Amino acid sequence: MAVQPSPYARAAGRLPDMGFHPMPVAPKTKFPGALASGRWHAMPRWQEWCARQPPEFLHERWEEWADAGVCIGHGRVVGLDVDTDRTDVTAAVLAAVPP
């Protein structure tokens, strides 16, 4: 059976051409991750990739990591994801953030 490419491998390749700075996300997490000796951990110094593109050799390595998700580093907040089912929390966040 063929191995399915990770979400990172399927999506991240075209993001740098659109000006985005993709990084891998550890499976079932929401933070930039790195894979070493078969184990995921928080990616050290991921903030470096917010201001500049990771080099192509890193993208190629990250594409080989099974189950890697995709996140996008940026230098300033351009969007906000309110990840809750509670309407009171959503209302409080939206009230605190300018349009």
Side-chain angles (χ1 to χ4, degrees), residues 2 4 22 32 40-41 60 67 85 87 95:
Q4 188 77 347
W40 284 94
H41 57 89
E60 291 171 359
D67 302 321
D85 294 329
T87 56

Side-chain angles (χ1 to χ4, degrees), residues 4-75:
Q4 188 77 347
S6 71
Y8 187 91
R10 291 192 310 267
R14 61 186 176 274
L15 293 174
D17 293 337
M18 294 187 282
F20 296 108
H21 303 191
M23 293 177 276
V25 173
K28 299 180 182 178
T29 71
K30 294 184 178 187
F31 59 84
L35 187 63
S37 302
R39 294 185 54 133
W40 284 94
H41 57 89
M43 179 183 288
R45 301 184 347 248
W46 62 268
Q47 297 89 343
E48 292 178 18
W49 310 129
C50 292
R52 63 187 176 98
Q53 287 288 349
E56 183 61 30
F57 78 90
L58 279 180
H59 285 295
E60 291 171 359
R61 180 182 309 155
W62 295 341
E63 287 178 346
E64 296 173 1
W65 293 351
D67 302 321
V70 182
C71 68
I72 297 173
H74 46 80

Side-chain angles (χ1 to χ4, degrees), residues 30 80-86 89-90 93:
K30 294 184 178 187
L80 177 66
D81 176 19
V82 180
D83 190 8
T84 182
D85 294 329
R86 290 182 47 186
V89 172
T90 300
V93 171

